[in-house]
Amino acid sequence: MSVDTEYQWQVGLERGLCQRDEAVEGFEALVVSYNTLLHHTLQLEGDYAHLNDTHTTLRTEHAKLADVGAAANLDAFVAAQKRIAELEWQVTTLKDERSDLYKAQGQHAQRLLSLTDDVRRREEQVRDLETSAKATATQMAKLQQSVDDYFYVLREKDGTIQDEMTALQLELVTKEEKLKRVEQENSQLVERWLRKMNEEAERMNDTNRQLEAERRPPPSVDQLNECLGDENYFGLGRRTSDTNQAPSKVPSIVYKELENPHHGEIHTLHVSHDGTMVATGGQDRRVKVFDSRSGNLKYTLSGCLQSVLHVWFSPTDDLILATSSDNAIRVWALDTGRIQHTLTGHIGKVVSAKFDGEARKIISVSHDRTIKSWDLYRGYCSKTIFSISSCNDLCLMDPQGTTILSGHVDNVLRVWDMQSGNCVREVTGLHDAPITSLAIAPAMTDSPPSLIPPILSAAFIPYSVDHTHLLTNAKDGTLHILDLNTFESVGVLRAEGYRPGSNWARAAFSADGHLVAAGSADGVLFIWNTRTFEVQARVKEHTSPVCAAFWDASGQHFFSAEKDQLVCFWE
């Protein structure tokens, strides 16, 4: 215990004792008065005994005088009778005074008992205050130790920040020099490119002149009608993600249930890109990875200090990340089950993070209103962007992560240039409540453009959702599909009874982009058709809010998780 703390404790104890003395001093005069009255009572009792003896003596004398009354003087007898009457009156008066003193003594005794009880209660209060003072002193010592520890950590952080600032300054100087060289090289390349393009243009002009001379007449209307009547002509037909892949299925049968996989609520779920693993995270601060077919537990990954809010597999499924309420991101290698990186720098809980296409960096968003880019080779933050509002989710528009999309608590979708750190676009008016999740549709494999006749316009090509479309989910109970070329909504998905159950409720596209799934607060899974924008199915297996739902890469299996510790494998 420090000197200041011990001195404060002594001052507090002395102040409590002084207050007790002040409370007790009020009864001192009453005790003195009671003792005086008691002494006076004892003295009067002695006087009463003396007078009683005198009265007995006088009665004896009176009897003697009565025996010799004839011979006594009448005046002397009368005087003796008068004296006796006076003494009897004094005796009666003393008896009355003694009765009054007994009454006063009883009252004072009762008051003394009350004062004694009051003093005992005050002493108990003083003991309680002393005990509380000791506990407070112990707590102050612990708090002082915590403050000292925090000051030590703060000094270490200051040193680390200074070193990082110095390193960043050196890196900035190096980058500026590199930028100058790149600008010079760029200007040279532009000049070479312009010369090359001029040459190409001349060659194309020569080719076009030759083709113009040999041009055939365009097809007739009947020929076009025949083309459009044959759904396989020029390769036009169903646009699926893979010509050998079956369409994604609506989940209907649960073939595996994982009950209580975590000790506490489940917050997140993700399926590996090859569809063989399912990862979950929750309140017990662990990430668990299961086999997607058998449901057997493959890995239990620990290291988070608070609840896990988001998990995500790397593109090659050899790494997995988890974001946590402890303001950090952790990356595990699945072949060893060990943590490769612990990325700290956010000052609020990290709610979402994604790998780039080559797992060289991670982009994360947090409730501290920042977006950070992390270099996994060096293990530190390479870029920080301050957003206007807290983010709930993000997704990458390109594999390199140079442009990202973020969904915010203020209902706005924002587009960010990670190289400059600027917000290049804000999409407002989509939702009336916070955006909970974002998802880009999977890439579609379509017929080669060179096989489509130039005379057919885009209006003849069947509409299909592909990687140029974005799915937004929000707390207002609506989902929007946006065209990323124009950022205009091409369709709204809504259903009676659909209401996301958390701020991070994840919605997902199917593998072929023809279906969208989202879980509601009442445990119902809603499946929409992205061609008609209508609800295709409602399935009920969960009883609490569904936090996430995903199809695997084949589109034949579906996985969902609810907060109350239930994970379902569907087919």
Side-chain angles (χ1 to χ4, degrees):
M1 180 184 298
S2 63
V3 177
D4 292 341
T5 304
E6 183 177 2
Y7 175 72
Q8 292 177 0
W9 176 77
Q10 292 177 354
V11 169
L13 181 60
E14 182 178 359
R15 188 181 298 112
L17 294 174
C18 290
Q19 291 176 355
R20 187 200 63 176
D21 293 342
E22 290 176 359
V24 173
E25 285 177 359
F27 306 107
E28 183 178 358
L30 184 60
V31 173
V32 172
S33 176
Y34 173 78
N35 292 331
T36 303
L37 288 174
L38 181 63
H39 179 70
H40 191 195
T41 301
L42 296 175
Q43 186 176 2
L44 288 175
E45 288 179 351
D47 293 342
Y48 172 76
H50 177 69
L51 289 174
N52 195 21
D53 293 340
T54 304
H55 178 263
T56 304
T57 302
L58 289 175
R59 280 185 178 278
T60 303
E61 292 178 356
H62 174 70
K64 291 178 180 180
L65 288 175
D67 293 337
V68 294
N73 189 357
L74 183 60
D75 293 335
F77 178 76
V78 172
Q81 290 291 333
K82 186 177 181 180
R83 176 64 178 166
I84 289 171
E86 290 177 354
L87 290 175
E88 287 180 350
W89 179 82
Q90 289 181 1
V91 169
T92 302
T93 304
L94 289 173
K95 285 182 179 180
D96 294 338
E97 289 183 359
R98 186 179 65 176
S99 299
D100 294 338
L101 287 174
Y102 279 146
K103 291 180 181 179
Q105 183 181 7
Q107 293 175 355
H108 287 300
Q110 184 63 35
R111 294 185 62 186
L112 182 61
L113 290 175
S114 301
L115 291 175
T116 303
D117 292 340
D118 196 3
V119 169
R120 186 168 58 253
R121 287 195 299 270
R122 296 298 176 91
E123 288 177 349
E124 290 177 355
Q125 291 178 359
V126 170
R127 286 195 294 271
D128 293 340
L129 289 174
E130 290 176 352
T131 304
S132 177
K134 291 180 181 179
T136 303
T138 304
Q139 186 177 6
M140 288 180 60
K142 293 180 180 179
L143 292 175
Q144 185 63 39
Q145 183 63 37
S146 299
V147 169
D148 295 340
D149 295 340
Y150 280 124
F151 273 122
Y152 177 74
V153 173
L154 184 61
R155 285 195 298 270
E156 287 187 345
K157 293 289 185 182
D158 288 339
T160 303
I161 291 173
Q162 291 294 333
D163 296 339
E164 186 175 354
M165 288 291 292
T166 303
L168 290 174
Q169 189 66 32
L170 294 174
E171 185 178 0
L172 178 61
V173 173
T174 305
K175 293 292 186 183
E176 288 177 348
E177 294 177 354
K178 184 177 180 180
L179 179 61
K180 292 179 181 178
R181 293 195 301 270
V182 169
E183 287 177 348
Q184 293 176 356
E185 294 175 357
N186 185 54
S187 60
Q188 296 174 359
L189 289 173
V190 168
E191 292 177 359
R192 291 170 56 189
W193 179 77
L194 288 175
R195 288 196 300 269
K196 184 70 174 176
M197 290 302 295
N198 289 331
E199 295 175 358
E200 291 289 338
E202 289 296 332
R203 285 198 295 270
M204 289 181 64
N205 289 334
D206 294 339
T207 303
N208 287 336
R209 283 192 290 270
Q210 293 177 3
L211 292 175
E212 186 69 24
E214 300 175 356
R215 178 189 250 174
R216 293 177 294 178
S220 64
V221 176
D222 294 336
Q223 292 174 332
L224 288 177
N225 289 334
E226 290 181 2
C227 293
L228 293 177
D230 184 1
E231 66 178 9
N232 292 321
Y233 187 77
F234 293 115
L236 289 175
R238 293 180 60 89
R239 292 158 63 102
T240 59
S241 59
D242 190 343
T243 57
N244 296 322
Q245 176 182 345
S248 297
K249 293 183 178 180
V250 175
S252 58
I253 300 174
V254 176
Y255 67 88
K256 186 68 178 179
E257 285 188 355
L258 304 180
E259 296 183 359
N260 302 319
H262 293 270
H263 299 292
E265 294 182 348
I266 298 176
H267 294 155
T268 181
L269 175 144
H270 190 229
V271 183
S272 62
H273 296 82
D274 61 7
T276 61
M277 294 180 289
V278 177
T280 60
Q283 196 174 5
D284 61 355
R285 302 174 294 177
R286 287 176 172 78
V287 176
K288 294 194 175 182
V289 182
F290 303 91
D291 184 274
S292 63
R293 298 299 175 260
S294 65
N296 295 330
L297 179 64
K298 299 182 66 174
Y299 309 102
T300 297
L301 309 175
S302 59
C304 295
L305 304 180
Q306 294 184 29
S307 299
V308 175
L309 301 180
H310 183 73
V311 294
W312 203 261
F313 286 96
S314 65
T316 55
D317 296 329
D318 58 340
L319 302 175
I320 188 171
L321 66 81
T323 68
S324 174
S325 296
D326 63 6
N327 310 341
I329 307 159
R330 290 170 179 82
V331 181
W332 289 267
L334 291 179
D335 57 349
T336 62
R338 296 183 178 179
I339 293 180
Q340 280 199 344
H341 300 284
T342 299
L343 309 175
T344 58
H346 284 292
I347 59 174
K349 56 187 176 184
V350 187
V351 296
S352 183
K354 303 288 175 63
F355 289 98
D356 70 344
E358 298 180 352
R360 294 183 176 180
K361 64 181 179 181
I362 290 175
I363 311 295
S364 62
V365 295
S366 167
H367 272 200
D368 62 4
R369 300 186 179 184
T370 62
I371 302 172
K372 290 182 179 287
S373 177
W374 307 86
D375 187 334
L376 292 184
Y377 284 169
R378 301 183 181 181
Y380 71 92
C381 178
S382 59
K383 190 76 173 183
T384 299
I385 298 175
F386 292 92
S387 61
I388 299 172
S389 172
S390 297
C391 302
N392 280 336
D393 198 10
L394 84 156
C395 59
L396 281 59
M397 287 187 66
D398 57 87
Q400 294 74 30
T402 56
T403 305
I404 70 165
L405 301 161
S406 59
H408 293 261
V409 175
D410 62 358
N411 318 340
V412 178
L413 173 70
R414 291 182 172 88
V415 185
W416 302 89
D417 181 354
M418 292 300 293
Q419 293 182 344
S420 64
N422 296 327
C423 178
V424 298
R425 192 178 187 116
E426 288 188 350
V427 183
T428 59
L430 286 176
H431 297 284
D432 299 326
I435 297 173
T436 65
S437 72
L438 304 175
I440 292 181
M444 309 297 290
T445 303
D446 296 320
S447 303
S450 60
L451 296 179
I452 300 176
I455 195 168
L456 296 178
S457 67
F460 289 96
I461 301 177
Y463 169 78
S464 182
V465 173
D466 59 13
H467 67 286
T468 62
H469 291 82
L470 174 73
L471 175 67
T472 64
N473 187 21
K475 292 284 285 183
D476 60 5
T478 63
L479 300 93
H480 280 260
I481 297 178
L482 278 69
D483 187 336
L484 291 179
N485 295 317
T486 62
F487 285 95
E488 297 291 334
S489 177
V490 299
V492 182
L493 310 179
R494 54 169 56 91
E496 182 179 356
Y498 173 67
R499 181 173 58 87
S502 70
N503 292 331
W504 310 291
R506 310 295 182 189
F509 278 110
S510 62
D512 60 4
H514 293 165
L515 300 174
V516 165
S520 182
D522 58 2
V524 178
L525 283 167
F526 289 82
I527 312 296
W528 287 270
N529 189 307
T530 59
R531 293 179 172 179
T532 63
F533 308 118
E534 298 293 334
V535 175
Q536 186 162 332
R538 289 179 175 87
V539 289
K540 173 73 171 178
E541 185 70 22
H542 298 285
T543 58
S544 67
V546 178
C547 57
F550 285 96
W551 273 276
D552 66 357
S554 68
Q556 308 304 301
H557 296 86
F558 183 80
F559 306 91
S560 60
E562 65 171 283
K563 292 178 65 176
D564 287 350
Q565 303 191 55
L566 178 63
V567 180
C568 292
F569 293 11
W570 305 74
E571 64 179 5

